[in-house]
Amino acid sequence: MSKKALVTGITGQDGAYLAQLLLSKGYEVHGLARRSSTSDVNLTRLNWLGIEKDVRIVDGNLLDLSGLIRTMRDVKPDEVYNLAAQSFVKSSWQQPILTGEVTALGVTNILEAVRLEKPDARFYQASSSEMYGLIQEDMQSETTPFYPRSPYAVAKLYGHWLTVNYRESFGLHASSGILFNHESPLRGIEFVTRKVTDSVARIKLGIANELRLGNIDAKRDWGHSKDYVEAMWLMLQQDEADDYVVATGLTTTVRDMCRIAFEHVGLAMDDHLVIDPDLFRPAEVDVLLGNPTKAKEKLGWQAKTSLEEMITEMVDADLKRLG
Ligand code: NAP
Ligand code: F7E
């Protein structure tokens, strides 16, 4: 009998790569997806990976507890991966209530559905390095204190602690992955790496001439989504549930990441980059740098893809898309 997984956020970047990984391991994959009037567009990422027909899409929303309970009862998953969220930090100042409802309280809904209907299921919560915000240690690990700097980060902190609390209160096998930024050709266009690679491809093809960015001094620890979903799966294969930082251990400025993209297509960044004050955030996370030692020692996991490899893969994918 193959194992069954339920993935919320299956239409997102990580949902697509995780579904691909689970299918390759013989899982029956069920994915929760919000109905929209453009449902064909919704499956774009699964389509890109050629797996849209291999997953079973369940109509549902993280805000709808009764639907989640019914789904849990019908699917009876062995593993639940909660990847759904309003995940764009900048939008969280524009939509703080929605962000709180989905990204924070949505975790209560899915954990309640697990507790009531499938308490022996293993649960993964998509926590975030944004929770470190105004960093309290140069390198952030599982023991570094949190200091969130956006409504998104505050909401993620709630989800993180609720996961810890349900593990301690009800004995659920609930793990939280504190993932640092991870990207891919399937990254949403609003995030900085994909915005850069898409713009560089457009400039190279003569469709655009400039790239407008905000704070290019910000530093991030960037890895590849395809590597990071493997860490999620490994967490749920452990006898004991726990929390893990997933990161590369390297940090780079937005400026240098951007330069890699321009250089890949033989263009000079300074000829096209424009700094736009409107793109700065009300409060910034200046630098993030993760310490992945625990994940390496306990899960045997480490990042495989370098930033250069990933950015060039993304530029090439955008050139292909636009071409
Ligand atoms: P993403 O591409 O933005 O995907 C988010 C997913 O959540 C989409 O499938 C979206 O569905 C779904 N969703 C949003 N609101 C929902 C709702 N009310 N009910 C059900 N589904 C809903 O995000 P990602 O990059 O794959 O990240 C996956 C998770 O990891 C997120 O929780 C994110 O916050 C977290 N995280 C990401 C990173 C990173 O660097 N990528 C780092 C740390 C943590 P639609 O397609 O319908 O919009
Ligand atoms: O910004 C700066 C911006 O939007 C990165 C999410 O997946 O990772 C992601 O959150 C940095 C910030 O990602 C632009 O100010 C400059 O300092 O790509 P981002 P993020 O905010 O770090 C964490 C771990 C998550 O959990 C989130 O879900 O880049 N930046 N100029 C810009 N950022 C954007 N988006 N656009 C710009 O024009």
Side-chain angles (χ1 to χ4, degrees):
M1 278 271 284
S2 55
K3 274 195 195 173
K4 275 191 268 183
L6 175 67
V7 180
T8 75
I10 196 152
T11 57
Q13 171 189 252
D14 291 2
Y17 282 111
L18 179 65
Q20 186 183 48
L21 177 78
L22 294 171
L23 288 168
S24 76
K25 292 184 182 297
Y27 279 69
E28 186 179 305
V29 179
H30 299 251
L32 191 81
R34 304 189 272 186
R35 194 216 154 249
S36 86
S37 63
T38 51
S39 50
D40 53 334
V41 175
N42 221 9
L43 299 180
T44 306
R45 292 184 172 102
L46 295 169
N47 214 322
W48 175 272
L49 297 178
I51 56 170
E52 78 281 6
K53 292 200 169 62
D54 303 327
V55 301
R56 300 171 188 207
I57 298 296
V58 189
D59 191 14
N61 194 307
L62 217 53
L63 299 177
D64 183 29
L65 176 61
S66 67
L68 293 176
I69 289 174
R70 241 189 319 278
T71 298
M72 214 61 74
R73 191 178 298 158
D74 292 346
V75 176
K76 296 188 179 53
D78 300 292
E79 297 173 9
V80 177
Y81 296 85
N82 184 37
L83 309 185
Q86 190 304 97
S87 77
F88 187 40
V89 173
K90 189 142 192 283
S91 288
S92 75
W93 280 284
Q94 194 62 33
Q95 300 182 57
I97 297 172
L98 178 82
T99 302
E101 284 171 348
V102 178
T103 306
L105 280 178
V107 185
T108 316
N109 286 337
I110 187 90
L111 276 168
E112 276 293 282
V114 169
R115 183 168 81 91
L116 295 170
E117 290 296 330
K118 197 68 175 68
D120 61 334
R122 295 186 172 193
F123 179 83
Y124 173 83
Q125 169 58 18
S127 290
S128 166
S129 54
E130 282 291 302
M131 301 186 308
Y132 296 117
L134 188 62
I135 54 165
Q136 304 293 300
E137 286 177 337
D138 290 344
M139 225 179 167
Q140 300 89 53
S141 73
E142 295 78 7
T143 55
T144 303
F146 299 114
Y147 194 135
R149 293 270 280 172
S150 63
Y152 167 80
V154 172
K156 278 288 173 189
L157 199 50
Y158 174 97
H160 173 71
W161 281 117
L162 198 78
T163 302
V164 174
N165 182 260
Y166 269 50
R167 180 167 77 220
E168 294 175 353
S169 304
F170 304 117
L172 294 190
H173 191 293
S175 292
S176 173
I178 307 174
L179 270 56
F180 283 61
N181 299 53
H182 47 281
E183 323 288 315
S184 73
L186 300 185
R187 186 57 142 153
I189 200 95
E190 64 275 36
F191 298 94
V192 75
T193 52
R194 181 74 203 294
K195 181 176 175 182
V196 166
T197 62
D198 175 71
S199 293
V200 165
R202 283 173 193 274
I203 294 168
K204 180 69 183 171
L205 294 171
I207 311 168
N209 192 41
E210 66 173 28
L211 162 62
R212 301 182 85 80
L213 291 179
N215 177 15
I216 59 170
D217 294 319
K219 295 176 97 176
R220 290 291 184 274
D221 180 331
W222 278 296
H224 199 301
S225 172
K226 200 171 179 179
D227 294 347
Y228 284 33
V229 297
E230 203 165 348
M232 298 176 187
W233 176 76
L234 283 167
M235 283 177 220
L236 298 206
Q237 309 318 306
Q238 306 306 303
D239 291 340
E240 302 289 330
D242 206 343
D243 308 320
Y244 297 89
V245 160
V246 176
T248 68
L250 297 169
T251 191
T252 309
T253 58
V254 172
R255 178 190 286 102
D256 287 343
M257 176 275 293
C258 196
R259 186 173 289 120
I260 294 170
F262 276 103
E263 283 178 356
H264 178 56
V265 295
L267 293 172
M269 179 175 84
D270 295 341
D271 293 344
H272 303 281
L273 183 57
V274 177
I275 301 302
D276 183 344
D278 286 346
L279 295 171
F280 282 67
R281 296 176 177 187
E284 181 59 281
V285 173
D286 294 320
V287 54
L288 289 172
L289 172 60
N291 180 350
T293 305
K294 180 174 170 183
K296 188 171 183 191
E297 288 177 353
K298 297 210 164 167
L299 304 177
W301 179 91
Q302 62 183 10
K304 294 182 191 136
T305 315
S306 71
L307 181 62
E308 288 74 11
E309 286 166 342
M310 182 177 75
I311 293 297
T312 55
E313 180 193 351
M314 291 172 69
V315 172
D316 290 344
D318 280 319
L319 282 168
K320 191 173 153 198
R321 269 195 194 101
L322 294 162

